[in-house]
Amino acid sequence: MSTDLSEIGDIPAVWTRRHLLGLEDFSAEELNCILDAAAMFKEATGGCKQKLSVLVGRTCANLFFEASTRTRTSFSLAARRLGADTVDFTATGSSLSKGETFIDTAKNIEAMGVDVVVVRHRTPGTPHLLAQQLDCSVINAGDGAHEHPTQGLLDILTIREHRGNLAGLTVALVGDIAHSRTARSNIWGLRKLGAHVIVCGPSTLVSPLWRELGVEVSHSLDAILPRCDVLNLLRIQFERQSTRPFPSVREYAHLYAMNRERLERAKDDILILAPGPINRGVEVTPDVADGPHSVILEQVTNGLAIRMAVLWLICGAG
Ligand code: CP
């Protein structure tokens, strides 16, 4: 089933970017431009289920050098929902194993007529390097612990859908802030749209230096919980840690897991987000993750809408 293209307007004048590398230098108007476009695509396609033909003739390449389920799948689906061709590259099984460099790999894929590259890499700044080296557009799908802009945007869209407005809300990012690219993208976006942001977790994972980004720092979930409108529960990234930052997973869960008992002490309408994947029983108990306050799967659907919006804006402006 296809949607009438007249429902999709022109690219808004506020949008002038060729790349999406991070949210740090985005204005509130640019953030709202993406959020509004995502809402429009969601509405026009029955929840991102129907196909459009706004990107027919365009090609989107996913270059993932780190594992992904949600981001890679949704970028691929978003491109196809808009009528674009897609290429899914994974490092495993590629000619990287024969010694081909990262830049040569990207340039060879671009040479096949690619309009936009979506890249995930463990090294911060990789998308910025590609934007300098390639002629096509580049979208950051997560670079080390730096930024994950479309994750920040889909989190914000999910909150906006439930609350209408970000201004005045208190949003706590709880967990492994030190290794989280999602934390940075959330902080830039949420603050720009007027939310008060708290970063909360053990002192080994939440440095006081985060205050320099304009956020409140807390090491006690129980102390901040009554003030929070939204909790975004960030995964403990065991794979990025050389030493364990807390005595045991059980100890961490005792102090920071969102569970039924904590829910009873939270605001009645608190929203529970988690970027996924989640460690069930570590950041959140299964009853809360699957319960009525959780919007975790709505985040996933909104990821598709945000990625449709970003691809449309980037390819349209390119
Ligand atoms: N939230 C997120 O980026 O999920 P994936 O690692 O599965 O893409």
Side-chain angles (χ1 to χ4, degrees):
M1 191 170 168
S2 204
T3 299
D4 182 353
L5 280 185
S6 62
E7 291 181 34
I8 311 299
D10 295 329
I11 304 264
V14 69
W15 187 265
T16 57
R17 294 178 186 259
R18 286 190 58 233
H19 309 292
L20 175 57
L21 304 178
L23 299 186
E24 182 172 359
D25 66 344
F26 266 61
S27 66
E29 290 74 24
E30 288 175 301
L31 293 168
N32 280 321
C33 173
I34 301 175
L35 297 170
D36 292 345
M40 180 267 293
F41 278 119
K42 202 171 166 186
E43 170 79 22
T45 60
C48 303
K49 291 183 185 141
Q50 295 154 18
K51 290 191 82 167
L52 300 169
S53 50
V54 291
L55 293 188
V56 166
R58 304 291 187 140
T59 302
C60 170
N62 286 324
L63 270 55
F64 278 66
F65 296 84
E66 271 193 339
S68 170
T69 296
R70 282 147 289 270
T71 312
R72 183 171 54 202
T73 308
S74 60
F75 263 115
S76 202
L77 268 179
R80 279 185 268 146
R81 292 276 201 275
L82 297 176
D85 293 325
T86 58
V87 180
D88 277 324
F89 169 90
T90 44
T92 309
S94 76
S95 290
L96 284 165
S97 64
K98 302 174 199 166
E100 188 166 30
T101 67
F102 167 73
I103 293 295
D104 280 340
T105 301
K107 284 187 171 175
N108 275 264
I109 289 174
E110 182 187 33
M112 297 178 205
V114 164
D115 298 288
V116 55
V117 159
V118 179
V119 64
R120 171 172 287 190
H121 200 283
R122 68 177 179 280
T123 306
T126 299
H128 306 69
L129 176 67
L130 278 189
Q132 290 166 3
Q133 294 283 333
L134 304 181
D135 293 326
C136 70
S137 294
V138 177
I139 297 173
N140 182 358
D143 60 331
H146 178 226
E147 278 224 44
H148 191 353
T150 55
Q151 181 69 48
L153 287 161
L154 75 89
D155 292 346
I156 291 168
L157 177 63
T158 307
I159 300 168
R160 192 178 89 159
E161 281 183 348
H162 282 267
R163 294 298 149 83
N165 199 345
L166 275 293
L169 292 180
T170 294
V171 180
L173 310 173
V174 182
D176 188 351
I177 309 299
H179 301 97
S180 177
R181 50 198 176 207
T182 293
R184 280 182 184 74
S185 294
N186 263 268
I187 288 168
W188 299 130
L190 287 166
R191 292 204 61 247
K192 215 67 71 76
L193 295 175
H196 175 66
V197 180
I198 307 173
V199 291
C200 178
S203 56
T204 46
L205 292 174
V206 186
S207 157
L209 292 174
W210 284 90
R211 292 197 181 97
E212 292 178 12
L213 302 191
V215 301
E216 180 182 338
V217 169
S218 169
H219 303 301
S220 170
L221 177 56
D222 289 324
I224 63 165
L225 189 55
R227 288 195 281 134
C228 293
D229 298 295
V230 179
L231 294 183
N232 198 345
L233 305 172
L234 306 184
R235 184 174 66 89
I236 301 298
Q237 300 193 35
F238 294 109
E239 75 277 16
R240 296 191 201 276
Q241 297 166 5
S242 49
T243 56
R244 190 58 66 80
F246 35 76
S248 68
V249 168
R250 191 172 163 175
E251 173 88 1
Y252 177 85
H254 175 66
L255 292 173
Y256 297 105
M258 195 57 195
N259 55 29
R260 190 178 316 177
E261 186 272 322
R262 287 200 166 96
L263 206 48
E264 283 168 8
R265 288 187 281 114
K267 287 189 178 180
D268 289 344
D269 59 353
I270 192 166
L271 282 183
I272 306 291
L273 284 78
I278 56 175
N279 296 312
R280 286 177 178 263
V282 181
E283 302 98 25
V284 58
T285 53
D287 54 340
V288 174
D290 303 326
H293 292 268
S294 168
V295 290
I296 294 172
L297 291 178
E298 291 177 39
Q299 289 172 264
V300 178
T301 305
N302 284 338
L304 191 48
I306 285 289
R307 284 153 190 147
M308 288 172 82
V310 167
L311 287 169
W312 175 64
L313 290 166
I314 294 274
C315 289

